[in-house]
Amino acid sequence: MNELLSELKNSVISQLDVAGEASELIPYGNGHINSTWLLTMQEGENLQRYILQKINTHVFQRPDRLMENICSVCDYLRKMVLKEHGNPDLECMTPILFRDGSALYRDDAGEYWRCYLFIENSCSYDLAKTPQMMEGAGEAFGLLQKRLDRFAAEQLWETIPKFHNTPNRYELFLRAVEEDVCGRADSVREEISFWTSRREDFFPVYRMLQEAEIPLRVTHNDTKFNNVLFDRTTGRPLCVVDLDTVMPGVALYDFGDSLRSGASTAAEDETDLSKVSFNLEMFEAFTRGFLSQTRDILEESEKEWLAFSAKLMTMECGIRFLTDYLQGDTYFRIHRPNHNLDRCRTQMRLTADMEAKMERMKEIVAWYC
Ligand code: ADP
Ligand code: GN1
Ligand code: MG
């Protein structure tokens, strides 16, 4: 039995309000933020699997509020799926409670844990393999948006303040360049000026929100392609995961971030930049899926900015990676030196490619609106 399993059996696992004995614990998924394991509990012949996660409290400083948001959203979605005669154990996230009735456990070392039912026969991918898959992701994120259309945004905490406030992200980036705490700025002047030459693009969407020209909604805010689970057998989308950042936001953020991550022809950390481009066929497929669910709820002002939002979210992510690189890689988990710089460079490449393809992207959006 692995060491971690024996250790956790005496702490967090023993506190879970579930049947059986823990028999296996294996690292799971490719997330950059939390630590995730697949946990198997065995009771006689029966095996039940769970997702066990240690919450990154550097990123989420109020795990109690985080879980409050998640539980109320999961509860709401569950009722909706039941009304639609769906299967909530497969189509929704199901938080598992601890023995004290809470959805969050703090261990003796002060680490915070939570657990979900594992959605069986599912998998996620970092990049879309086919346009059908990308259309499925569009449907899944669009459906989530539609289901949350009447969920009152004021009920939710802002789990990461100013998360997609792009003017603020830009300010933080400039500050990191100026402070240059690791002495890395001189070696990345080209990357810095790539982003500063696009300064104006960080402002309009946020400004429209401030002026109520686009509505504040409840959004997912981390619609990375690998946050959709697909059914291994049918290839159809099953469920949207990673609800940590579900909070008040803008529909454009959700649309744009999926394209940034799913419609790239290469991995987010690809070092051979000649492999990185923005795939218009994938863009079209996602747009078709997303708008099939949201066409009737989105306002014209939102539809107008959908194509641009893919570029905006790529730019935001690019400066976030570079900011983290300049600050010594304290936010995103890295697996090699310069990992955040490599990630920033793929976002630059994608941004430039989207700029070249923007007119076509706008035509595609208009067609499906
Ligand atoms: P992070 O915040 O670090 O990205 P996630 O919550 O996205 O962590 O989890 C990492 C991966 O684990 C996901 O991309 C998905 O593949 C898988 N996953 C998460 N929750 C479940 C679940 N309930 N059932 C099956 N797989 C899951
Ligand atoms: C993080 O948690 P994960 O890996 O799904 C990040 C996103 C970034 C993404 C870049 C809470 O997403 O905002 O777009 O990495 N999540 C958080 O890959 O910061
Ligand atoms: Mg994730």
Side-chain angles (χ1 to χ4, degrees), residues 163-212:
F163 191 55
H164 286 310
N165 178 332
T166 46
N168 185 252
R169 290 283 183 195
Y170 187 75
E171 282 309 312
L172 295 177
F173 160 62
L174 291 186
R175 201 182 304 159
V177 173
E178 206 178 289
E179 290 174 353
D180 193 19
V181 290
C182 297
R184 291 175 170 178
D186 265 345
S187 62
V188 291
R189 286 290 159 208
E190 214 177 295
E191 287 77 7
I192 293 169
S193 64
F194 181 92
W195 299 120
T196 52
S197 70
R198 286 163 177 78
R199 178 188 177 278
E200 291 308 315
D201 284 340
F202 287 96
F203 294 83
V205 169
Y206 187 72
R207 216 176 274 142
M208 281 189 295
L209 177 65
Q210 293 307 97
E211 286 162 19

Side-chain angles (χ1 to χ4, degrees), residues 12 14-18 96-107 112-113:
V12 55
S14 71
Q15 295 306 310
L16 281 169
D17 192 10
V18 297
I96 300 295
L97 300 184
F98 291 91
R99 293 190 191 283
D100 63 359
S102 154
L104 182 68
Y105 175 74
R106 183 176 187 271
D107 69 16
Y112 285 89
W113 298 83

Side-chain angles (χ1 to χ4, degrees), residues 42 140 176 339:
Q42 182 163 12
H339 207 166

Side-chain angles (χ1 to χ4, degrees), residues 30-32 222 224 226-227 241-242:
N30 277 338
H32 292 347
D222 187 2
K224 209 162 139 175
N226 68 13
N227 285 330
V241 303
D242 204 345

Side-chain angles (χ1 to χ4, degrees), residues 28-38 49-54 56 60 89 92-94 114-126 222 224-229 239-244 333:
Y28 200 75
N30 277 338
H32 292 347
I33 304 294
N34 296 308
S35 306
T36 304
W37 291 271
L38 174 60
R49 303 203 286 176
Y50 300 92
I51 285 285
L52 181 66
Q53 286 183 314
K54 185 162 78 180
N56 179 330
F60 298 105
D89 288 350
C92 300
M93 294 292 273
T94 310
R114 54 124 183 267
C115 182
Y116 294 107
L117 206 59
F118 180 71
I119 298 180
E120 289 293 344
N121 200 34
S122 69
C123 54
S124 66
Y125 308 86
D126 291 339
D222 187 2
K224 209 162 139 175
F225 190 72
N226 68 13
N227 285 330
V228 180
L229 296 183
C239 177
V240 170
V241 303
D242 204 345
L243 304 177
D244 294 332
R333 188 179 301 128

Side-chain angles (χ1 to χ4, degrees), residues 246-260:
V246 174
M247 58 183 160
V250 170
L252 297 169
Y253 305 151
D254 281 6
F255 181 82
D257 200 37
S258 286
L259 290 155
R260 174 195 78 75

